[in-house]
Amino acid sequence: MIVVAGPASPMLSAKIAELLNAKLITPSFKTFPDGESYIRIDTPKALEGETVIIVNTMYPDQNRRVIELLLATSIARDYGCDKLYTVIPYMAYARQDKRFLEGEAISLKVLAEIIGKVSDKVITVDLHSPETISFFGKNALNVTAMNDIGNFLSENYSFKNPLVVGPDQGALDYAKTVADILGAEYSYCEKIRDRYTGEITMSIKDIDVKNRDVIIVDDIISTGGTVALASTNLKKIGAASIIACCTHALMVGEAEHKIISSGVSEILSTDTIECKYTRISVAKTIASEIRKL
Ligand code: R5P
C-alpha cells in the first residue's frame, strides 16, 4: 500500500501513511509561469501492482488542486497500480451541488463524475451535503470529522453547562454528534441566505443560552459571516463563552477578525485544510475506513 501525498495535504498524508503502515511518496510539483500545474513522482515504478491512495485536499486554490489530483491519478494508472483510492479531505465546489438559479452549472456533479470515473474508491470528509456523495458514483464514501472534533473537545476542555449549536439547520446533525460525545444539549440557528445579494439574516431557535459555554459547530467556515452572525446573536441572549469549531477552515479574507470580534474566543479546525486553525486530525477516521476496504 502506498500513500501519495498531494501538495495540499502533506501532513495529513503522512499521518494516514503511518497509521496504515504504508509507504509515503511525496511527488515534486510546481506551477509554470503561465499558471499550469506540474507533478512528478520520481519513483513511479514503485506504484506497479500496489493499492495507491492519493490524498489531496482542494484548498487553497481549488482549481489547481483539482488538476494536481487528476495528474497524480493518471501517473498511478499509467504505472500500473492495482487499486486507486482518492482521498479528498475538503471537496471544493461542494456548495454548488444543485441548480439554485436557472442556467447555473451543478459544479460538484461535474467534478465528482470525473473523479469518480478515475478512482476505485473516493473518500471525502464532511461533504457539504452528505447525500451528494452519490455524484461520485457507487464507490464513494463520505466520513464525518465530528467524532474527532467531539473527542478532542471532551479530552481538552471542561465546559460549564455546554450547548452545541449549528449556525444553521444544515449543521444540526453535526451539532448532535458533538453534543452526544460531550453529553451536552444541542440546537441550531435559523439562517436565510438571499441567493441574489448573498445577504444573510438569522434568528436563534428557542433555546436558553444564558451563562452557558457555547460551541458553534459547522462543516465550513469561509468568510466567517455565518459563525459571526450566530455568535453575535448568542452573545446578545447571554452566552457566557463561545468557541467555533469546523471541519474545513477556508477562512477567507477578514474571517478571523469577523469571528473574533463577534465574541468567539477560539477557532478550531481539522487538518482537512492544513492551516493555523488546525488542532484536530481526521487521519484516524480516514485510515480506519481505508482498512475496511
Ligand atoms: C453553509 O450552509 C455552510 O454550512 C457554512 O455555514 C457556510 O459555507 C459558511 O460560509 P461563511 O463562513 O462564508 O458564512
Side-chain angles (χ1 to χ4, degrees), residues 166-197:
D168 59 20
Q169 193 169 8
L172 185 62
D173 284 349
Y174 298 138
K176 180 180 183 328
T177 305
V178 172
D180 286 350
I181 293 170
L182 296 175
E185 276 190 301
Y186 64 96
S187 188
Y188 72 97
C189 306
E190 278 179 316
K191 180 174 86 168
I192 302 148
R193 189 192 294 267
D194 186 312
R195 286 268 154 218
Y196 290 92
T197 64

Side-chain angles (χ1 to χ4, degrees), residues 45-291:
K45 291 195 175 130
L47 304 176
E48 192 179 337
E50 293 281 347
T51 294
V52 174
I53 301 153
I54 299 174
V55 185
N56 204 30
T57 207
M58 289 190 182
Y59 192 84
D61 196 342
Q62 298 84 331
N63 299 348
R64 175 151 61 97
R65 301 313 181 190
V66 172
I67 298 297
E68 286 168 353
L69 184 77
L70 294 175
L71 296 182
T73 62
S74 82
I75 300 169
R77 287 288 185 214
D78 289 351
Y79 283 86
C81 71
D82 176 29
K83 293 264 181 317
L84 178 53
Y85 303 156
T86 304
V87 176
I88 310 170
Y90 168 68
M91 179 65 203
Y93 291 96
R95 285 173 287 179
Q96 185 69 30
D97 57 4
K98 56 170 86 89
R99 231 184 282 288
F100 296 98
L101 299 174
E102 205 48 57
E104 290 178 342
I106 306 171
S107 314
L108 175 65
K109 193 158 178 276
V110 175
L111 293 179
E113 284 177 358
I114 297 169
I115 295 163
K117 268 189 202 129
V118 299
S119 314
D120 294 308
K121 189 90 190 176
V122 179
I123 299 178
T124 60
V125 184
D126 287 331
L127 192 59
H128 180 59
S129 303
E131 68 280 4
T132 58
I133 192 70
S134 61
F135 289 168
F136 291 86
K138 281 194 193 123
N139 288 322
L141 177 72
N142 178 54
V143 299
T144 184
M146 292 301 151
N147 295 303
D148 299 305
I149 292 176
N151 289 331
F152 179 85
L153 294 175
S154 135
E155 283 158 21
N156 293 284
Y157 290 75
S158 58
F159 297 109
K160 200 180 76 193
N161 198 6
L163 174 68
V164 185
V165 175
D168 59 20
Q169 193 169 8
L172 185 62
D173 284 349
Y174 298 138
K176 180 180 183 328
T177 305
V178 172
D180 286 350
I181 293 170
L182 296 175
E185 276 190 301
Y186 64 96
S187 188
Y188 72 97
C189 306
E190 278 179 316
K191 180 174 86 168
I192 302 148
R193 189 192 294 267
D194 186 312
R195 286 268 154 218
Y196 290 92
T197 64
E199 195 193 343
I200 299 170
T201 49
M202 187 174 276
S203 72
I204 306 293
K205 289 285 289 177
D206 190 20
I207 41 170
D208 181 14
V209 299
K210 228 180 175 78
N211 298 324
R212 298 180 77 166
D213 289 339
V214 175
I215 302 127
I216 298 177
V217 182
D218 208 352
D219 57 340
I220 301 169
I221 299 179
S222 179
T223 64
T226 306
V227 167
L229 199 57
S231 158
T232 303
N233 284 285
L234 289 159
K235 272 279 170 192
K236 267 189 211 153
I237 54 174
S241 76
I242 305 178
I243 64 167
C245 305
C246 68
T247 306
H248 315 295
L250 308 186
M251 300 300 287
V252 176
E254 295 298 302
E256 177 178 311
H257 174 71
K258 219 183 274 178
I259 292 171
I260 297 298
S261 54
S262 75
V264 169
S265 59
E266 213 178 342
I267 303 163
L268 312 175
S269 77
T270 77
D271 52 1
T272 60
I273 293 169
E274 298 176 14
C275 63
K276 70 184 256 203
Y277 310 97
T278 301
R279 300 273 301 280
I280 302 152
S281 182
V282 294
K284 277 190 193 154
T285 298
I286 292 172
S288 94
E289 289 305 328
I290 292 172
R291 268 189 221 107

